[in-house]
Amino acid sequence: MGDCKGISTPATSKDKMSAIQSRLMSDPTLYRSIVGGLQYLSLTRPEVCYSVHKVSQFLHAPTEDNWYSVKRILRYLKHTVGHGLYISKSANTDLNIYTDADWASDIDDCKSTIGYAIFMGTNLISWNSKKQQTVARSSTEAEYRAIGLAVTELTWIQLMLRDITFHSTKTPNLWCDNIGATYL
C-alpha cells in the first residue's frame, strides 16, 4: 500500500485525511452524530458532498485531525447558510453529465474517489461522490468507472422521465476530463 502514499487528495482544501495520522478521539459519539447530520445535509448541499464523504470514512475510529476537518465543514456551512440547490423554470431540458475521478486518492488503501453531476438544463438533478470498491490501476480506469456509474444513473433518470411521459429529443452530453477514458 505504500506505493500511492504520495498521491492524495484532501478532504477539504488543505487536509490530507488518514486513519493513522493523529490520536484517536476519546469519545467519538459527537463526531458520529455530526457526520450523520452532515450526510443528510449533503442531499441539498452538493458542494459539501465530497468533504462529508471523506470524513464519514472515519466513523469507526475518528481522530483529532478528522474532528478538525468536521469543524472546518461546519464553519463553512455557517458562513454559507444562503447557499443550496436552486431549481429554476427553464425551457432547456438537455441532459449534461459531468464525471471525474481522483485516482488513488485514499492514502490508506489507494482506492480512487469518483463522482458525477447530472444537469437538466441549468438545474442539478442528480449527483454522487463515492470511493471505488476496488483499486484502479490507472487514472483512465478510475475515470472509466466514474463514467459507468454516471451512465447507470442517467439510464435510470431517462427511464423515469419516459414513465412520466417526458421525451427529450436530444442525446445527453457526457463530459469527462480524461482523454484515455474518452477514447475507451
Side-chain angles (χ1 to χ4, degrees):
M1 294 292 166
D3 295 335
C4 71
K5 294 297 184 197
I7 304 170
S8 63
T9 299
T12 56
S13 62
K14 298 177 185 170
D15 299 337
K16 290 184 182 175
M17 306 215 29
S18 171
I20 56 174
Q21 70 190 63
S22 69
R23 66 185 179 90
L24 294 174
M25 290 182 67
S26 58
D27 181 19
T29 307
L30 180 61
Y31 180 90
R32 291 176 181 144
S33 175
I34 290 176
V35 172
L38 289 173
Q39 288 174 334
Y40 282 106
L41 180 71
S42 68
L43 295 173
T44 59
R45 297 289 300 267
E47 80 273 14
V48 298
C49 191
Y50 175 78
S51 297
V52 171
H53 162 76
K54 291 303 281 185
V55 296
S56 66
Q57 291 179 11
F58 303 98
L59 288 172
H60 64 287
T63 65
E64 296 293 331
D65 287 344
N66 300 144
W67 176 239
Y68 175 74
S69 295
V70 168
K71 291 195 299 188
R72 286 187 63 195
I73 295 169
L74 292 172
R75 279 193 299 274
Y76 168 80
L77 291 169
K78 177 183 176 186
H79 295 292
T80 59
V81 173
H83 293 176
L85 286 179
Y86 177 73
I87 308 239
S88 62
K89 184 176 180 179
S90 174
N92 180 3
T93 59
D94 298 345
L95 291 171
N96 288 290
I97 305 95
Y98 300 90
T99 65
D100 200 10
D102 196 2
W103 179 53
S105 60
D106 191 298
I107 61 177
D108 293 323
D109 62 9
C110 298
K111 291 181 181 175
S112 305
T113 300
I114 60 174
Y116 64 81
I118 300 176
F119 288 83
M120 179 181 272
T122 58
N123 298 310
L124 180 63
I125 60 170
S126 181
W127 66 92
N128 193 357
S129 172
K130 66 185 272 183
K131 186 162 75 167
Q132 289 183 337
Q133 296 177 347
T134 58
V135 176
R137 293 183 182 174
S138 68
S139 61
T140 299
E141 183 180 346
E143 295 274 358
Y144 191 71
R145 289 181 185 177
I147 291 170
L149 182 68
V151 169
T152 301
E153 178 73 4
L154 173 66
T155 302
W156 179 82
I157 289 172
Q158 288 179 313
L159 289 172
M160 183 187 67
L161 290 173
R162 188 172 53 195
D163 285 347
I164 62 171
T165 65
F166 176 84
H167 299 285
S168 178
T169 57
K170 293 186 92 178
T171 303
N173 295 314
L174 177 64
W175 303 94
C176 174
D177 64 353
N178 184 291
I179 196 74
T182 303
Y183 287 145
L184 189 58

